[in-house]
Amino acid sequence: MKSTRNQSSASEFILLGLPIRPEEQGMYYALFLATYLTTVLGNLLIILLIRLDSHLHTPMYFFLSHLAFTDISFSSVTAPKMLMNMLIHSQSISYAGCISQVYFFLFFADLDSFLLTSMAYDRYVAICHPLHYTRIMSQSICILLVIASWFLSFAGALVHTVLLARLSFFRGNTLHHFFCDLSALIKLSSSDTSINELVILVVGSLVITVPFVCILVSYGRIGATILKTPSIKGICKALSTCGSHLSVVSLYYGAIIGLYFVPSSNDTNDKDVIVAVMYTMVTPMLNPFIYSLRNRDMKGALRNMLARATSSM
C-alpha cells in the first residue's frame, strides 16, 4: 500500500471500526444489518403513508417526509460501508471514498438540523397563531424552507470538504472510527488545521447551535401560550402534536452534545465510536417508531392502508 497520494495525502485510510471482539463480529453484523434495514423500511413507510393519505398533506407531514428521506440517506452514508467491511473483514476506504463520505455525512446531518427547526416553527405557528396558520405556513413557504435547508446544508458541507481536501496526511492513515469522521481526520492531518478548526466553530454554530436555539425558543413560546390558557384538553392537544417532534429533537441533539460537546480524552475513542453509532444508526431507526406510535394521524393512516390492502386481497 502506498503511504502518500500525490505526495500530499494518504491513498487510502484504515478504519479500525467498532470496539468488537472477533468472536462477536457475526452477532453485531446481524444486529447492525437489522437496524439499517429497519431504518430504511420504516422511513420509506412514513414517506409512503404521507404520499397516499390525503389527510397527511399538511405542512408538518411535508417536513416529516423530507426528514424521513434524510434519515435514510444519513444512515446510508456510513452503514453499508461498515457492514461491507465487517462482512469481508476489510478495514480500508479509498481517499476519494473517505472525502465523499465526509461530505455526505455533513450534508445530511446539517439537513436533519434545519428540517427539525422548520418542524418546530410549524408547531409554533400552529399553536401560537392558529387563526393565521394556513396563511403563514402556505405551500410556497414550506417549499422555500425546504429549499433553504438543502442549500445551506450543501454550502456548509462543501466548505468543510474543500478545506479538508487541502490537508496532508503524512503522519498516518489509521482512523479510530467506523467511518471518516471530520474531527478524526483533522486530528490525523500533518498540516496546519487552524483554518479548519475555525470554520468548524463558525459553521457548526450556524448549522447546529442556531437551529437548536430556534427550536428552544419555539417551544418556549409554545409553553408560554399553553400556560396562558391552562386546561387538560389544551395540554393534551399540544403534547399530541409536539410530543413526537420533541422526542426526535432530544435524540438528535442529545447524541450531538454527547459526541462533540462533552469533553473527552485521547483514551476515550471507544466512547466516541459508540455514541456515533447511536447518532448515525439508532436515532434514524427510532424516528419511524416515534412518529407511528405517538402520532394519532400516522396510526390512522397506517390502519387505513392496511384495511385497503386487506379488502383488495
Side-chain angles (χ1 to χ4, degrees):
M1 182 188 73
K2 294 187 298 182
S3 61
T4 60
R5 180 181 180 274
N6 295 333
Q7 301 301 314
S8 62
S9 62
S11 61
E12 65 178 22
F13 292 95
I14 302 300
L15 302 174
L16 294 185
L18 300 166
I20 298 173
R21 292 194 293 270
E23 61 271 19
E24 297 176 343
Q25 283 275 349
M27 179 185 68
Y28 278 100
Y29 177 83
L31 176 63
F32 291 133
L33 179 61
T35 300
Y36 177 62
L37 292 177
T38 303
T39 299
V40 173
L41 296 176
N43 283 288
L44 282 177
L45 178 61
I46 284 181
I47 296 172
L48 182 64
L49 289 175
I50 293 172
R51 292 285 295 176
L52 295 179
D53 195 316
S54 59
H55 295 97
L56 301 181
H57 293 175
T58 63
M60 182 176 74
Y61 294 107
F62 173 73
F63 293 128
L64 178 57
S65 64
H66 282 270
L67 183 68
F69 172 78
T70 302
D71 282 338
I72 293 172
S73 305
F74 182 54
S75 189
S76 297
V77 171
T78 58
K81 178 61 178 175
M82 180 190 73
L83 291 169
M84 180 60 70
N85 284 357
M86 291 177 70
L87 184 64
I88 65 176
H89 303 288
S90 171
Q91 295 179 308
S92 66
I93 183 172
S94 68
Y95 176 86
C98 190
I99 297 298
S100 299
Q101 195 177 62
V102 169
Y103 171 78
F104 286 108
F105 178 87
L106 294 173
F107 175 78
F108 288 115
D110 294 350
L111 186 56
D112 243 339
S113 179
F114 287 122
L115 289 173
L116 288 172
T117 306
S118 298
M119 294 173 75
Y121 177 68
D122 171 77
R123 294 299 82 205
Y124 159 72
V125 176
I127 293 175
C128 298
H129 304 283
L131 299 179
H132 304 285
Y133 179 74
T134 54
R135 177 179 60 83
I136 297 175
M137 297 304 297
S138 63
Q139 185 179 19
S140 57
I141 292 297
C142 293
I143 293 173
L144 184 63
L145 285 171
V146 170
I147 291 174
S149 298
W150 279 76
F151 175 76
L152 291 173
S153 302
F154 164 78
L158 185 63
V159 169
H160 287 303
T161 308
V162 169
L163 290 174
L164 176 64
R166 55 178 281 276
L167 299 181
S168 301
F169 296 93
F170 287 121
R171 291 192 302 206
N173 65 342
T174 302
L175 294 172
H176 295 270
H177 226 301
F178 64 93
F179 70 97
C180 290
D181 179 63
L182 178 62
S183 59
L185 285 166
I186 288 177
K187 291 177 182 177
L188 187 65
S189 174
S190 53
S191 304
D192 179 14
T193 60
S194 56
I195 295 178
N196 300 73
E197 292 166 359
L198 177 62
V199 170
I200 287 175
L201 180 64
V202 174
V203 176
S205 298
L206 292 176
V207 302
I208 299 296
T209 307
V210 172
F212 183 54
V213 171
C214 290
I215 292 172
L216 291 179
V217 171
S218 296
Y219 276 104
R221 298 294 296 273
I222 289 171
T225 299
I226 294 172
L227 291 175
K228 285 180 182 177
T229 54
S231 68
I232 300 299
K233 183 179 179 181
I235 293 173
C236 290
K237 183 179 179 181
L239 288 176
S240 68
T241 57
C242 299
S244 300
H245 182 254
L246 271 174
S247 300
V248 173
V249 167
S250 300
L251 281 171
Y252 178 81
Y253 285 101
I256 288 179
I257 291 170
L259 187 59
Y260 295 110
F261 292 95
V262 175
S264 61
S265 67
N266 293 328
D267 299 324
T268 56
N269 288 315
D270 288 355
K271 185 271 291 183
D272 293 340
V273 172
I274 292 169
V275 175
V277 171
M278 291 289 298
Y279 177 46
T280 59
M281 295 191 68
V282 178
T283 299
M285 180 196 70
L286 290 177
N287 289 355
F289 290 101
I290 291 172
Y291 279 104
S292 60
L293 295 177
R294 295 178 60 97
N295 190 290
R296 188 184 309 154
D297 295 334
M298 291 296 295
K299 287 189 287 187
L302 181 58
R303 281 195 297 267
N304 291 338
M305 188 183 74
L306 292 176
R308 286 197 298 267
T310 304
S311 62
S312 64
M313 293 176 66

